[in-house]
Amino acid sequence: MEPQNHQIPPTQNPPPPPSFSAKVAEQVKSNLVFKSKWAELNGAMGDLGTYIPIVVALTLSRDLNLGTTLIFTGVYNIITGAIYGVPMPVQPMKAIAATALANPDFGVPEIMASGILTGGTMVVLGVTGLMQLVYKLIPLCVVRGIQLAQGLSFALTAVKYIKKVQNLPKSKALGERHWLGLDGLVLAIVCLGFIVLVNGAGEEGQEGHTDHVGPRGDEEERPSRKARWRKKITSLPSAFLIFLLGVILAFVRNPKVVHEISFGPSSMEVVKISRHAWKEGFVKGAIPQLPLSILNSVIAVCKLSSDLFPERDFSATSLSVTVGLMNVVGPWFGAMPSCHGAGGLAGQYKFGGRSGACVALLGAAKLVLGLVLGTSLVTILNHFPVGVLGVLLLFAGIELAMCARDMNTKEESFVMLICTAVSLVGSSAALGFAVGMVVYLLLWLRKLGTDKPDSVMSMDA
């Protein structure tokens, strides 16, 4: 046999690894992919039940620059959507807003000082790793207590919005809401029923989508007419349709609002903050806001994100830093201090938000509205049916409260419910957290030295 000449193929250099910028661009592109266009659009409406009442009240009562707030929060929405790849919400800081609405002397400079001080503290907690340490040490049952309290608080506020006529600038109820009318009880009840019919009690796809089996056990190729109608109904963007109805009714309730709209962005200028404003902002704004930001904007959001998106890795450090950075920039120009929130995440998830595209879409809408209409948008939102906002807020609250259903033992439920009760009655998440931690530690100490296995109440919870 003649020897065969084997040609050695020329060596090929392996392709160079992608650059850091290419990896970042690919990750951002992946995070902003629409899982479902209508579902993501619908999910974007899930956080408006908390966002609109707060910004409208502060704009009308404290002269908040709504246009600047929309521009900055729109940018925040787009950036957080690109970073996290989930519907990470951007909400007004509620403790600061509550202080401003309750205290006439707490104006724009004090609001902005509160946000800057809170944001700076959150950045420090994140960069030093202290936030991640706190996240690891807090037991799940205490976090669930905070989430349950926040969810029930949203739900109770929503029922008030639905049941009673509201003066948003003064945050006061003006009496019982009439049954009929463009902001009546019947309208709210119909909207509520429509959302239940479309979305059900859980996420889409869980109900009514079982395979259709023929008489011989094989799957039918075509679903029944009933199944097709059910699929059409459950695919409707319920929250988006409800919000669109509210916008139309706002114009119908006051047609003259068209003449009150002015086009163009609001003037943006640096807020002058006096020494007195820094002091008031720290004492009355930042101190009450910090516990809420740590617990609800970072710890609870991190836990909830891991529950809803177990395939993704969420860091308390990164959440703390993004909350902080949002507030060391925007408030200098008059934008409302903002944070993440477990209630907003639950609401957007409830209505179909599954990717960063959901909040990026909302951010783009805010950005356009801020640039085109500016603060004059408040004339429209002021006539938006409050009962309809209450319906959206109700479902966001219930979705957040339902996270507490994974407490499997009596001890866990006991700690969670005590934490919830104290948070609700005392109107303080920090107080509920403190009491919950004390009760948790007492139960843990009580079990030391007993023969019972301690699989639940462990310090590694």
Side-chain angles (χ1 to χ4, degrees):
M1 295 180 62
E2 296 182 0
Q4 296 181 357
N5 294 326
H6 295 283
Q7 293 183 353
I8 301 175
T11 59
Q12 296 181 351
N13 295 326
S19 63
F20 175 75
S21 58
K23 289 182 179 180
V24 171
E26 185 63 28
Q27 185 62 47
V28 169
K29 183 180 178 181
S30 174
N31 287 344
L32 295 179
V33 170
F34 283 92
K35 300 294 178 64
S36 170
K37 292 181 180 179
W38 281 113
E40 302 291 359
L41 175 63
N42 197 46
M45 306 295 110
D47 192 26
L48 298 181
T50 55
Y51 185 85
I52 291 179
I54 292 176
V55 296
V56 169
L58 290 173
T59 302
L60 294 175
S61 64
R62 295 294 176 267
D63 202 24
L64 177 73
N65 192 327
L66 178 60
T68 301
T69 296
L70 286 171
I71 291 172
F72 273 95
T73 56
V75 173
Y76 299 156
N77 276 129
I78 295 172
I79 293 175
T80 53
I83 292 174
Y84 295 110
V86 300
M88 188 66 67
V90 174
Q91 302 175 320
M93 287 190 169
K94 297 176 185 63
I96 294 175
T99 301
L101 293 172
N103 188 349
D105 297 327
F106 201 87
V108 169
E110 288 78 10
I111 293 173
M112 302 310 150
S114 302
I116 295 168
L117 292 168
T118 304
T121 306
M122 297 297 287
V123 170
V124 171
L125 290 174
V127 171
T128 57
L130 290 175
M131 188 65 76
Q132 187 67 25
L133 179 63
V134 171
Y135 174 70
K136 290 182 177 179
L137 292 178
I138 297 179
L140 179 61
C141 53
V142 174
V143 177
R144 290 292 187 250
I146 298 296
Q147 290 176 320
L148 180 58
Q150 186 71 66
L152 292 177
S153 177
F154 279 0
L156 292 172
T157 301
V159 172
K160 292 178 183 177
Y161 282 178
I162 295 171
K163 188 178 178 182
K164 295 183 181 294
V165 179
Q166 300 292 321
N167 183 341
L168 290 180
K170 295 183 178 179
S171 298
K172 291 183 179 180
L174 302 179
E176 298 294 328
R177 189 177 298 280
H178 295 293
W179 281 94
L180 302 177
L182 298 179
D183 192 13
L185 277 172
V186 172
L187 173 66
I189 293 171
V190 170
C191 291
L192 190 150
F194 175 71
I195 292 177
V196 172
L197 182 66
V198 173
N199 295 90
E203 67 176 279
E204 74 283 355
Q206 288 183 346
E207 301 176 5
H209 293 283
T210 55
D211 294 329
H212 298 273
V213 182
R216 290 180 298 179
D218 54 337
E219 294 184 3
E220 296 180 1
E221 294 183 0
R222 296 182 59 188
S224 65
R225 180 179 300 178
K226 180 180 178 182
R228 291 198 301 271
W229 273 107
R230 181 177 296 175
K231 185 176 180 180
K232 289 181 180 179
I233 292 174
T234 55
S235 64
L236 290 173
S238 57
F240 175 72
L241 294 176
I242 294 296
F243 180 73
L244 186 62
L245 173 65
V247 173
I248 295 172
L249 291 178
F251 284 99
V252 174
R253 294 177 71 194
N254 185 16
K256 296 181 180 179
V257 74
V258 177
H259 305 292
E260 300 175 11
I261 297 175
S262 60
F263 293 95
S266 306
S267 59
M268 191 181 300
E269 56 188 29
V270 177
V271 177
K272 296 179 181 179
I273 305 176
S274 65
R275 182 179 297 180
H276 176 74
W278 283 112
K279 178 183 176 182
E280 291 290 296
F282 175 72
V283 174
K284 296 182 179 179
I287 291 178
Q289 179 62 49
L290 272 171
L292 188 61
S293 293
I294 293 170
L295 293 172
N296 191 52
S297 299
V298 178
I299 305 300
V301 168
C302 206
K303 292 281 190 185
L304 181 61
S305 300
S306 300
D307 293 340
L308 299 179
F309 306 96
E311 72 281 2
R312 290 185 174 269
D313 184 26
F314 294 92
S315 165
T317 297
S318 64
L319 286 171
S320 183
V321 171
T322 54
V323 169
L325 292 179
M326 287 191 295
N327 294 288
V328 295
V329 179
W332 285 108
F333 301 95
M336 178 64 194
S338 303
C339 60
H340 304 311
L345 176 59
Q348 288 168 337
Y349 185 89
K350 167 68 179 178
F351 288 112
R354 295 294 183 272
S355 73
C358 169
V359 287
L361 185 65
L362 177 61
K366 288 180 182 178
L367 197 57
V368 170
L369 290 172
L371 293 172
V372 175
L373 297 179
T375 302
S376 66
L377 179 64
V378 76
T379 58
I380 301 173
L381 297 179
N382 193 35
H383 293 92
F384 194 97
V386 178
V388 174
L389 284 179
V391 171
L392 295 175
L393 181 59
L394 176 64
F395 284 97
I398 290 175
E399 184 70 17
L400 178 58
M402 287 178 67
C403 295
R405 67 186 185 275
D406 62 351
M407 294 291 97
N408 298 318
T409 68
K410 189 173 182 179
E411 288 89 347
E412 288 181 322
S413 300
F414 180 76
V415 174
M416 177 190 71
L417 292 175
I418 286 183
C419 184
T420 299
V422 175
S423 298
L424 284 176
V425 176
S427 299
S428 171
L431 181 60
F433 165 77
V435 174
M437 285 299 299
V438 169
V439 173
Y440 177 87
L441 291 172
L442 289 175
L443 288 175
W444 180 77
L445 289 172
R446 183 175 181 270
K447 285 198 169 186
L448 288 179
T450 63
D451 295 332
K452 291 183 178 181
D454 191 35
S455 59
V456 176
M457 300 297 293
S458 67
M459 293 303 292
D460 296 325

